[in-house]
Amino acid sequence: MAKTGVFEGDEAMVNKATELKKELQRLVKAIVEDDDELFSLEAIDQANQMLCALKDLKLRRSLCFNLTHQEKNDENDESLVCLPQEFKCPISKKLMFDPVLVATGQTYDRPYIQRWLKSGNRTCPETQQVLSHTIVTPNNLIRDMISKWCKSRGIQLPDSNQNSDEDGLTKSDRDLFISLLEKMSSSLSDQKKAARELRLLTKRTPSFRALFGESVDAIPQLLNPLSQNKSKSENHLDLQEDLITTVLNLSIHDNNKKLVAETPMVIPLLLDALRSGTIETRSNAAAALFTLSALDSNKALIGKSGALKPLIQLLEDGHPLAMKDVASAIFNLCILHENKLRAVRDGAVRVILEKLLNRVRVDELLAILAMLSTNQRAVEELGELEGVSCLLSIIRENSCPRNTENCVAILHTICFNDRTKWREIREEENKHSTISQVVLNGTSRAKRKASGILERINRAMNITHTA
């Protein structure tokens, strides 16, 4: 059987190395083939992270091999002492490379306890006690003891400053992270520089997003400049943009969604950003709300905060850069029934119809309108605002089956709740056979809804003629 190099015999390391190599190949290809200098610089940074992670794997495997080799070949050597129990991580049962203390005072190897915490666990694996916080601190005493033990046996222990954890982060990366957060309480100039760097780091390095989940104080520290300074002067718009964009980057990380949304200052600052700042800030605030609303509990929290009104206002403003993000956020939030009521109350129907008349973001806005049309007040507004003619015109012009289906579904609801619109639909049918065409060519759902419309209208017209 062919050998797999230093990773042979450790399936987990082999798999991890394979993933890293594939990602490295992709990045190298992007660097070589892409003419965009800025993208190449970003790809180079990511490739460097992959190389550091590969180096760490090799060092770990090499050390494990040395330990195993010594134990197998020196079993009768009385001078060789077996690996002390206190040097083993309670989770991995292996020699600790970066021992850290948790709130209970227990020591673990950093990558393994971080993996435990990132999985949502809030207890100490050894004692099962609930952790008062999830911050880990280096256990320098154990680290020094392990270092001396390895040195006496001719085993090289990786330098903690170079040793990266399972996410590819080094100690210097973590020190940088702490330093940048501390600058958020410094001068305005330092705040701006640190905010820009954190924005870039959380964009291109997923591991930095995860770091914010390790301390309950990290996000408040990040947003300290916005909570302390309520000024909207031009001097602070760039700082606001960088910090709100960083919140968006953090929200992408699944394990952060609950933490970010439930940090008290976050949603109010996102709503403030929706109303002010650069258009990129407003767009990214909407995108952050969309990303956070992936969790049902967050949908309720965001809806109760009053987010729909500024989102609808941003939709009405109609800036092309923000339209997709704001429509996505409104759609996601309105999956929750209570948020549908809020959206209708805050004027969503009128704004959406105005955009549809101008054929702006038709796909997304029709999907939202179809959801809102289950609300009686929304149906009444559609009738008052000439929504029927708008929907019929979209069906005539449209070639997208999904859009046709949404239009017909909305018309079906109107037809069954507002008989004053029957004549308009009947006249449309006599002139263009719009609904009949859907019966012939639409999706199965659209055909069913269209048939229901025709049946209701024809029955009503027959009753009228008979009378």
Side-chain angles (χ1 to χ4, degrees):
M1 182 175 69
K3 293 184 178 180
T4 56
V6 296
F7 304 109
E8 183 180 12
D10 192 323
E11 185 177 353
M13 285 189 176
V14 171
N15 292 338
K16 181 68 173 177
T18 301
E19 291 176 9
L20 290 170
K21 288 178 180 178
K22 286 181 179 178
E23 179 64 12
L24 184 60
Q25 287 176 333
R26 183 189 69 77
L27 290 168
V28 171
K29 184 178 180 181
I31 293 168
V32 173
E33 296 181 357
D34 202 292
D35 295 329
D36 187 340
E37 183 180 354
L38 291 177
F39 178 81
S40 295
L41 288 174
E42 182 177 323
I44 290 169
D45 288 338
Q46 293 176 341
N48 185 51
Q49 291 286 338
M50 298 302 104
L51 286 170
C52 289
L54 279 169
K55 178 182 178 182
D56 176 61
L57 279 175
K58 183 168 183 177
L59 287 169
R60 285 173 177 264
R61 182 65 186 95
S62 178
L63 179 54
C64 290
F65 175 81
N66 286 338
L67 289 172
T68 303
H69 180 75
Q70 284 192 28
E71 289 174 358
K72 285 184 177 180
N73 292 282
D74 298 291
E75 289 178 352
N76 298 321
D77 187 347
E78 294 182 1
S79 65
L80 179 66
V81 181
C82 291
L83 181 63
Q85 191 65 31
E86 61 269 25
F87 293 174
K88 295 180 181 179
C89 173
I91 300 175
S92 68
K93 309 302 180 186
K94 298 178 182 178
L95 177 67
M96 291 186 285
F97 288 80
D98 191 2
V100 293
L101 288 162
V102 297
T104 59
Q106 295 293 316
T107 299
Y108 300 92
D109 202 4
R110 186 189 295 273
Y112 295 96
I113 190 61
Q114 285 179 342
R115 186 184 303 166
W116 169 266
L117 295 173
K118 289 173 187 176
S119 297
N121 298 298
R122 287 298 178 267
T123 57
C124 174
E126 274 286 272
T127 67
Q128 298 304 308
Q129 290 177 265
V130 176
L131 296 171
S132 58
H133 60 78
T134 58
I135 301 171
V136 297
T137 55
N139 189 330
N140 293 323
L141 176 61
I142 293 295
R143 169 76 191 183
D144 290 343
M145 291 171 65
I146 291 174
S147 179
K148 292 176 181 177
W149 186 88
C150 289
K151 186 176 181 180
S152 68
R153 285 156 181 79
I155 301 169
Q156 183 179 1
L157 188 67
D159 184 354
S160 61
N161 289 319
Q162 297 177 349
N163 182 38
S164 60
D165 59 27
E166 63 175 1
D167 291 322
L169 289 177
T170 65
K171 183 177 182 298
S172 60
D173 290 331
R174 292 177 176 278
D175 290 342
L176 172 63
F177 172 71
I178 294 170
S179 172
L180 292 173
L181 287 182
E182 288 174 347
K183 289 181 180 178
M184 289 304 166
S185 299
S186 186
S187 66
L188 179 61
S189 175
D190 284 344
Q191 289 175 355
K192 288 185 175 184
K193 290 176 183 177
R196 174 50 60 98
E197 190 163 358
L198 281 168
R199 173 181 178 171
L200 295 175
L201 286 169
T202 53
K203 175 185 177 182
R204 66 191 183 209
T205 311
S207 304
F208 268 89
R209 301 172 199 158
L211 280 177
F212 279 85
E214 295 179 11
S215 169
V216 294
D217 296 324
I219 295 174
Q221 278 185 277
L222 171 73
L223 297 176
N224 178 63
L226 296 184
S227 63
Q228 294 296 321
N229 185 1
K230 301 298 182 182
S231 171
K232 300 297 183 295
S233 69
E234 291 294 326
N235 291 333
H236 302 291
L237 291 181
D238 54 345
L239 176 61
Q240 182 190 40
E241 180 180 312
D242 286 336
L243 293 177
I244 293 299
T245 305
T246 302
V247 171
L248 168 59
N249 294 340
L250 299 183
S251 304
I252 294 171
H253 192 74
D254 286 342
N255 290 342
N256 284 343
K257 294 186 190 302
K258 186 175 177 63
L259 173 66
V260 172
E262 293 183 358
T263 299
M265 66 172 62
V266 170
I267 293 179
L269 288 175
L270 288 176
L271 300 194
D272 187 52
L274 285 175
R275 303 182 184 99
S276 64
T278 66
I279 188 59
E280 185 173 353
T281 299
R282 302 176 75 192
S283 177
N284 287 344
L289 290 172
F290 163 64
T291 304
L292 292 172
S293 64
L295 298 182
D296 286 344
S297 60
N298 287 352
K299 287 183 180 71
L301 190 63
I302 295 168
K304 289 177 182 177
S305 72
L308 280 159
K309 191 166 186 176
L311 283 169
I312 292 167
Q313 180 60 56
L314 183 54
L315 181 68
E316 186 171 21
D317 291 349
H319 195 289
L321 183 64
M323 290 296 284
K324 183 175 181 180
D325 289 322
V326 73
S328 298
I330 293 172
F331 178 87
N332 234 22
L333 290 171
C334 287
I335 292 174
L336 201 66
H337 176 69
E338 301 84 64
N339 287 339
K340 290 182 189 178
L341 303 179
R342 294 184 177 105
V344 173
R345 180 196 64 199
D346 291 335
V349 174
R350 176 186 60 80
V351 172
I352 290 173
L353 275 178
E354 288 175 358
K355 298 304 174 186
L356 289 176
L357 283 169
N358 293 310
R359 301 302 188 259
V360 175
R361 308 303 306 189
V362 174
D363 297 4
E364 295 95 332
L365 297 184
L366 274 178
I368 297 171
L369 197 59
M371 289 183 15
L372 298 181
S373 66
T374 59
N375 176 267
Q376 180 60 36
R377 178 56 193 154
V379 173
E380 293 171 2
E381 286 191 42
L382 284 167
E384 295 166 2
L385 299 169
E386 305 300 325
V388 171
S389 60
C390 174
L391 294 168
L392 289 170
S393 67
I394 291 175
I395 295 175
R396 288 198 305 272
E397 301 168 7
N398 181 62
S399 60
C400 173
R402 176 64 66 181
N403 288 347
T404 298
E405 182 179 305
N406 281 328
C407 283
V408 173
I410 299 167
L411 288 169
H412 182 271
T413 302
I414 294 173
C415 185
F416 275 72
N417 288 275
D418 186 356
R419 62 175 59 199
T420 65
K421 300 303 172 184
W422 291 355
R423 182 177 296 278
E424 182 178 357
I425 297 174
R426 180 74 258 177
E427 290 174 355
E428 170 77 17
E429 188 61 20
N430 290 337
K431 188 174 182 179
H432 299 290
S433 299
T434 303
I435 304 300
S436 295
Q437 287 298 316
V438 177
V439 173
L440 293 174
N441 304 314
T443 64
S444 59
R445 179 169 178 260
K447 289 178 179 179
R448 187 172 68 255
K449 296 289 186 181
S451 296
I453 293 172
L454 292 179
E455 182 181 349
R456 171 57 67 99
I457 293 175
N458 290 333
R459 186 189 308 136
M461 295 303 292
N462 288 336
I463 293 173
T464 301
H465 290 321
T466 302

